[in-house]
Structure formats: structure tokens, C-alpha cells
């Protein structure tokens, strides 16, 4: 009985000791936070941040705050020496406690404290970024991340440019080509959600490097594989990798920008997507037509010029990957996960780099301490550092997956549900109409070309040709009810030639290639076909008498559509270049008229542009209307990128961007599939679908909150 009483008294003393220590910690924190006599939770004068306008520090404090700086503002090796961090003071007090105080606190209370800390950090961080200035560091990061965004733009165009050549090498049917065109978007859709979620837990820089590495590796590998299945797999994984670039790049760069610079410079960053399209178009035009730029190994392995183009398209990704090695992690992310000292050192690096570039190396980084939010899941670090390697990795994997999943669900909580829903609809409407029309434009131009080509067909009736040698190309012709007697067809091509009710007697065909050529209801007597690609399926209801087929050409037995490669490259080049004026206008006006008006206005103007498509009855008209539509819609894309970054807190920013960008790619897949199915049938349905989606999305966007005066939470 006495032992139980002692145990009870010890437990009571332990609990009372924890309460006393908590009271002392709060007193220490209060003394530190209120030492200047006034406290404002939204101002930077909360005891953690000091700018140059405050009264001079005491001599000892000045020495501590500026230790590590000499007359030339050079940093000595070693850790910085500043005012002790409040969390460090708390941790020293906690070491004396027989039990952790947080064990007696509810998790909801800890989360509420963290949210309060995040709000204080947001305002303090804004002041710190303003003190660091905007200069050489941001511009360096701008070009490094721009290369990653450029790689995303290139990825969208690669498959479309290589298909006309790859379909011949891989013998691709129409369904195979359609799947290859959509598989990249599928990979990018999954990659956006996956890497966006991981970037909020593992870091922006780390996830961006991994995703770009995957993209570069599989894009490079896809240029060497010969089979369709393996090529399809490589492009899928390549898309999965590059899918993370958009969510991470915008979240990463925004966290180095002040409120006044954010909208403008994020819009300038969007220009690299346009540069990616221009780069891909220029490289395709300069490389792919040179079919001899490659090599062959026997009869099975061929490395033609389009494969060289695929390798060249991986260069922006590789360049960005190398440059990222020299860039720091986002300090805002590091503060969110409690890594105060690392964040401080990076912010000091930003400050010193910019000050040296401005010719003011003597200016000292005056920030001593930065608020760090309460870490709710600290126990995870303990669990992931104990046990066997298998147990440690299992804990880390399951914990990270749970955290990413919680972040995904967080975007649908009451606080963000309406904004997320509206943004999702606007992103989807924009992608459905934009990507659907950008595929529809080239298909319509090709359809108009075919119509014009068919009007120039030459028809020959009842002709009789004897003892003649054909050694030139026959193209776009129809021969009916004629006779060919003792004629030779040697080293020639048939292109879009149809023979109907013809007689071929004692004719000789050698080294003949054909495209869209058919023999219908013909009679072939005592003839020889040697080394041709006139396969059995090209003879429709024909009578073949005493005729020999010797050594037919190897390779694909499919016919391919006539492609005007130069026109495809030109259309893509002009479409990419046409967004330049829209990019410039949106960058200059983003912070003046606001994100919401920019989205709504751009989408409504784009909807009006769609109605002009009813008058597109020629190739030149379609090209001009495509340029008009792309130029009008780019401002909405830029504003969507900016407002998506600003509406969500740092711990959920890239996750939300990844979800919305993944939905965007899903809209692109639907748009591509639906719009392409109406080519040659009607223009009314695609135009009405695109314009309706744009009008609905533009009106919905007006219900979003304006964020241009808002600090990054």
C-alpha cells in the first residue's frame, strides 16, 4: 500500500513538474517576444526579425549579429552566430523535464498553434525577401527553372513531330499513333500529381532533380529502342518525369519572390514554355528532313534522323538538371519543416549575392532569427531512425504516403473546397479547349490540303500503252479501262494511284514502291513482280493469271498519309511564337489589373476568337486563326499559374498545383480525342465545345478571390 502511494505521489510530482516547466517556457518565450513593449502578430517586429530602421543594438549584440563579416562582407567558415533561437531555448528547458510537455496537449491544439505560427512566418518572410532584394540570385534561378519549364514544352511537341517518320520505321497503325500521342499526356497527368505531392514533403529541389533525371534518362533511351511497345513505355515514363516540372517550378520560384514582383516574374517565367515549342519546331525542321543523319546496324537496327531529334530535345532537361545542382533548396520550405539554420544561411546567400551585384557588399543581412512553425509530426523522425533498414524504409514510405494523401484531402477541406473546385473547372475548361483546338488546327489544315489535292487528280480513260518503260513517279492519278502491254515499271514510285478495270499483259515490275495505290477489278496476265511493295491487299477483286511475285520488299505493309513536314513545323512554330505578345502583356499587367480579371478577360476573348473559325476555309486562314487564339489564351494560362501558387499555403502549394495540373492533362486527353474525331465531318461541334468551355470557365474564374495583395502563406 505504501509503495502504491509513493508511486502515486511520484506520478503527481512528475505531472506538476511538467506543468511548471511549461510555464517557465512560456514565460521565456513571452519575455523574448514582448521585450520591445508592443506586439503585432502581422508585423515583422515580433522579436524575431530586425531591420535596419530599429534603434542601434548594444555593442555585444552588434558583435553577435555581425560576427562572420569583415570589412568586405565576406563570410568566415563555420556556423553563423546570432541571437539564440526561441525554439532552441525551449528545447534546452525541455531536456530538464522528466516528460515532454506536448504529451499532455491535444493534437488539435498543436495544429492551431502551427497555423498561428505559419501566419506570423508569412508576414515575416515577406519582409525578409524584401530586404534580400530582387537581383542576380533570382535571375539566375529564373533561367535555371526556365530550362526545366522549357523541357516541359518540348515534351508536348516531340511525339507530334516524330510521328510521320516513326510510323514508317515502326509500322504504326492509326490506333498506334493515337495511343502514342496520348501516352505522353497520361504520363504527365500522373507525374504532376505524384511529384507535386512529394515536393511538399521532400523538398522542391530534390523532387525536381529526380523528376528531370527520369525524363532525361527515358527520353534519351527512347531514341534507341526499335519496338513500338518499348518506345511507348519510354515515352510514358518520360512524361511521368517531366510532369513534375510545372507544379514544382512555379512553387519553387514563387518562394524567392516578394509580393510586388511575384505576378510579373512568374509570368515572365511562363515564356520558357513558348521557347520550348519554338526550340522543338526549329530542331525538327533542321534535323528530321535529313533522313540520312543516322546509321544502321544490319537490317534490323536503324537510327534515323528523327531519333537524333529526340536526343536533341532532351538537352534542355539535361542543362536544367546540371544547373540545379548549384541552386539551394527553397528556404520557405525549410522553415515549414523546422530547418531554421539552413533556411537562414540560404536567405543570407540570396541577400549577399544581390547586394554584391548592386555594388553594396558592405550591407549586412540583419535578420537574426526567423519564426518556425510548430512541428506536429516530430515522432516520425524518431521512428524512421530506429529498427532495421527495412523497418526504417517502411516507416518512411508509409508516413510520406500518408502525409501526401492528407495534403490531397486538405485541398478539399472547407477552407479550400470552393476555391479548389472553381480552379479545377477553370483549369479543365482551359485545357479541354486549348489542347483540343491545337490538335484540331493541324488536322484541319491537313484535311484542307487533302481536299485540294483531290481536286487536282488526273483521270485517264481507255488508254493503251505498249513497249514503254516507266522509270518516274506516277502521282495522284486514276486509270480506267485501259491496257498496258509488254511495259516495264522500274525503279519508280506510285503515289495515290488507282487502276480500275485495267489489263496488264506481259508487264515487268521491278524495285517499285507505292503509297495509297490500289488495283481494282484488274486483269494481270503473264507478268512478273520483283522486289516491290505491291502486296496482296492492294489487289482488290483482281484476276491474276500466270503471274509471278518474287522477293517482295521487307518492312511495313501499311500505307501512310502524305505528310507535308515543313507545314507541320511551320504551324507549330508560328503557334508558339504567337503567344509572345500575350506573354509580354500579361507580365506587364498581371500586378496592375489582377489575376482574376486577367483570367476572365483572356478566356472570354479566346471564346470570341473561336467563332472566327467558321470563316477558316483555307490553310492560311486556319494558321492565322490559330495564332490569334493562342495569343489571346496565353494570358489566362499565366494568370492561372500565378493564382494557383498564391491561393494555397507553402505546405500544400505544389500538391494543389499538381492536382490541378493533372486535371489539366486529363482535359487535354479528352480534348485531343473528341476534337480530332470531328475533322472532315463538321466544324460546328468543335467550335461550340471550345467556346462554351471558355465562356463557362471565364465566368467561373470571376468568383475566385484576388491574391495580388496577399503574402505567401
Amino acid at each position: 500500500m505504501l509503495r502504491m502511494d509513493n508511486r502515486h505521489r511520484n506520478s503527481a510530482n512528475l505531472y506538476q513538474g511538467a506543468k511548471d516547466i511549461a510555464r517557465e517556457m512560456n514565460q521565456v518565450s513571452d519575455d523574448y517576444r514582448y521585450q520591445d513593449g508592443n506586439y503585432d502578430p502581422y508585423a515583422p517586429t515580433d522579436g524575431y526579425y530586425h531591420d535596419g530602421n530599429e534603434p542601434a543594438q548594444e555593442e555585444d549584440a552588434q558583435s553577435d549579429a555581425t560576427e562572420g563579416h569583415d570589412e568586405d562582407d565576406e563570410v568566415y567558415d563555420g556556423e553563423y552566430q546570432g541571437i539564440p533561437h526561441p525554439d532552441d531555448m525551449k528545447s534546452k528547458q525541455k531536456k530538464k523535464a522528466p516528460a515532454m510537455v506536448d504529451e499532455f496537449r491535444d493534437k488539435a491544439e498543436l495544429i492551431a498553434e502551427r497555423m498561428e505560427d505559419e501566419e506570423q512566418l508569412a508576414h515575416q518572410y515577406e519582409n525578409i525577401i524584401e530586404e534580400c532584394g530582387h537581383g542576380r540570385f533570382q535571375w539566375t534561378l529564373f533561367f535555371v527553372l526556365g530550362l526545366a519549364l522549357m523541357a516541359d514544352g518540348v515534351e508536348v511537341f516531340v511525339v507530334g513531330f516524330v510521328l510521320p517518320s516513326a510510323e514508317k520505321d515502326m509500322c504504326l497503325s492509326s490506333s498506334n499513333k493515337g495511343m502514342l500521342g496520348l501516352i505522353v499526356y497520361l504520363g504527365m497527368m500522373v507525374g504532376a500529381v505524384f511529384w507535386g505531392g512529394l515536393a511538399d514533403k521532400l523538398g522542391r529541389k530534390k523532387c525536381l532533380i529526380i523528376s528531370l533525371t527520369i525524363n532525361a534518362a527515358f527520353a534519351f533511351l527512347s531514341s534507341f529502342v526499335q519496338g513500338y511497345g518499348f518506345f511507348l513505355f519510354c515515352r510514358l515514363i518520360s512524361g511521368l518525369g517531366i510532369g513534375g516540372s510545372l507544379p514544382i517550378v512555379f512553387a519553387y520560384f514563387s518562394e524567392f519572390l516578394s509580393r510586388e514582383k511575384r505576378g510579373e516574374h512568374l509570368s515572365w517565367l511562363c515564356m520558357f514554355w513558348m521557347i520550348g515549342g519554338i526550340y522543338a519546331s526549329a530542331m525538327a525542321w533542321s534535323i528530321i528532313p535529313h533522313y540520312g543523319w543516322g546509321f544502321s546496324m544490319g537490317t534490323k537496327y536503324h537510327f534515323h534522323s528523327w531519333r537524333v531529334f529526340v536526343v536533341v530535345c532532351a538537352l534542355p532537361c539535361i542543362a536544367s538538371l546540371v544547373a540545379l545542382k548549384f541552386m539551394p533548396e527553397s528556404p520557405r520550405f525549410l522553415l515549414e519543416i523546422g530547418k531554421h539554420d539552413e533556411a537562414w544561411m540560404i536567405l543570407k546567400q540570396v541577400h549577399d549575392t544581390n547586394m554584391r551585384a548592386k555594388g553594396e557588399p558592405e550591407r549586412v543581412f540583419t535578420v537574426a532569427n526567423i519564426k518556425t512553425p510548430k512541428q506536429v509530426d516530430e515522432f516520425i523522425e524518431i521512428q524512421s531512425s530506429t529498427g532495421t533498414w527495412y523497418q526504417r524504409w517502411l516507416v518512411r514510405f508509409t508516413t510520406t504516403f500518408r502525409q501526401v494523401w492528407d495534403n490531397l484531402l486538405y485541398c478539399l477541406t472547407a477552407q479550400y473546397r470552393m476555391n479548389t473546385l472553381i480552379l479545377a473547372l477553370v483549369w479543365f475548361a482551359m485545357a479541354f479547349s486549348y489542347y483540343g483546338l491545337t490538335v484540331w488546327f493541324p488536322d484541319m489544315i491537313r484535311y484542307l490540303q487533302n481536299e485540294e489535292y483531290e481536286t487536282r487528280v488526273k483521270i485517264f480513260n481507255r488508254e493503251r500503252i505498249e513497249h514503254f518503260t516507266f522509270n518516274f513517279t506516277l502521282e495522284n492519278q486514276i486509270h480506267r479501262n485501259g491496257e498496258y502491254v509488254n511495259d516495264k515499271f522500274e525503279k519508280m514510285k506510285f503515289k495515290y494511284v488507282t487502276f480500275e478495270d485495267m489489263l496488264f499483259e506481259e508487264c515487268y515490275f521491278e524495285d517499285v514502291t507505292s503509297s495509297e495505290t490500289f488495283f481494282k477489278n484488274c486483269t494481270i496476265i503473264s507478268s512478273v513482280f520483283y522486289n516491290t511493295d505491291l502486296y496482296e491487299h492492294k489487289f482488290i477483286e483482281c484476276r491474276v493469271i500466270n503471274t509471278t511475285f518474287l522477293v517482295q520488299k521487307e518492312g511495313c505493309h501499311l500505307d501512310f498519309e502524305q505528310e507535308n513536314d515543313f507545314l507541320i513545323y511551320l504551324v507549330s512554330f508560328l503557334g508558339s511564337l504567337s503567344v509572345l505578345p500575350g506573354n509580354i502583356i500579361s507580365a506587364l499587367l498581371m500586378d496592375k489589373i489582377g489575376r482574376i480579371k486577367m483570367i476572365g478577360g483572356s478566356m472570354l476573348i479566346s471564346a470570341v476568337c473561336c467563332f472566327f473559325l467558321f470563316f477558316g476555309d483555307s490553310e492560311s486562314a486556319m494558321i492565322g486563326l490559330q495564332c490569334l487564339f493562342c495569343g489571346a489564351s496565353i494570358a489566362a494560362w499565366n494568370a492561372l499559374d500565378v493564382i494557383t501558387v498564391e491561393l494555397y499555403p507553402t505546405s500544400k502549394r505544389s500538391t494543389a498545383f499538381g492536382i490541378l495540373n493533372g486535371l489539366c492533362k486529363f482535359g487535354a486527353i479528352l480534348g485531343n480525342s473528341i476534337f480530332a474525331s470531328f475533322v472532315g465531318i463538321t466544324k460546328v461541334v468543335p467550335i461550340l465545345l471550345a467556346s462554351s468551355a471558355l465562356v463557362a470557365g471565364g465566368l467561373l474564374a470571376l468568383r475566385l478571390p484576388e491574391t495580388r495583395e496577399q503574402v505567401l502563406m
Side-chain angles (χ1 to χ4, degrees), residues 190-216:
V190 177
V193 179
F194 180 76
W195 295 112
L198 280 184
D200 280 331
K201 290 303 172 185
L202 304 181
R204 280 72 163 114
K205 176 184 174 181
K206 182 177 182 180
C207 286
L208 186 57
I209 287 177
I210 296 174
S211 66
L212 290 178
T213 301
I214 293 174
N215 172 253

Side-chain angles (χ1 to χ4, degrees), residues 480-493:
R480 294 180 178 140
N481 300 311
E483 298 179 1
Y484 289 90
V485 179
N486 201 14
D487 295 318
K488 293 184 178 180
F489 300 83
E490 296 179 338
K491 298 180 180 179
M492 64 164 300
K493 293 182 179 179

Side-chain angles (χ1 to χ4, degrees), residues 379-387 391-393 395-396 399:
F379 71 94
I380 295 170
E381 296 298 327
I382 301 174
Q383 292 183 346
S384 62
S385 301
T386 58
Q391 292 172 328
R392 291 196 299 270
W393 277 104
V395 168
R396 289 170 184 166
T399 302

Side-chain angles (χ1 to χ4, degrees), residues 614 674-675 678 682-690:
F614 283 112
I674 294 174
F675 282 52
F678 288 99
T682 178
K683 292 194 296 185
V684 175
V685 175
I687 292 173
L688 290 180
L689 283 175

Side-chain angles (χ1 to χ4, degrees), residues 633-651:
S633 60
I634 191 62
W637 282 118
N638 294 355
L640 270 176
D641 293 333
V642 175
I643 198 172
T644 303
V645 163
E646 294 175 334
L647 272 179
Y648 296 90
T650 301
S651 59

Side-chain angles (χ1 to χ4, degrees), residues 18 103 107 149 172 326 342 361 412 430 538:
E103 293 180 4
K107 185 174 182 180
L149 201 58
L172 302 181
F326 302 96
E342 292 181 38
L412 299 176
M430 194 68 204
K538 296 189 176 185

Side-chain angles (χ1 to χ4, degrees), residues 267-287:
S267 298
W268 289 126
L269 185 65
C270 294
M271 291 184 65
F272 279 93
W273 200 92
M274 171 201 74
I275 296 172
I278 294 174
Y279 173 83
S281 304
M283 292 299 102
W285 178 79
S286 60
I287 295 175

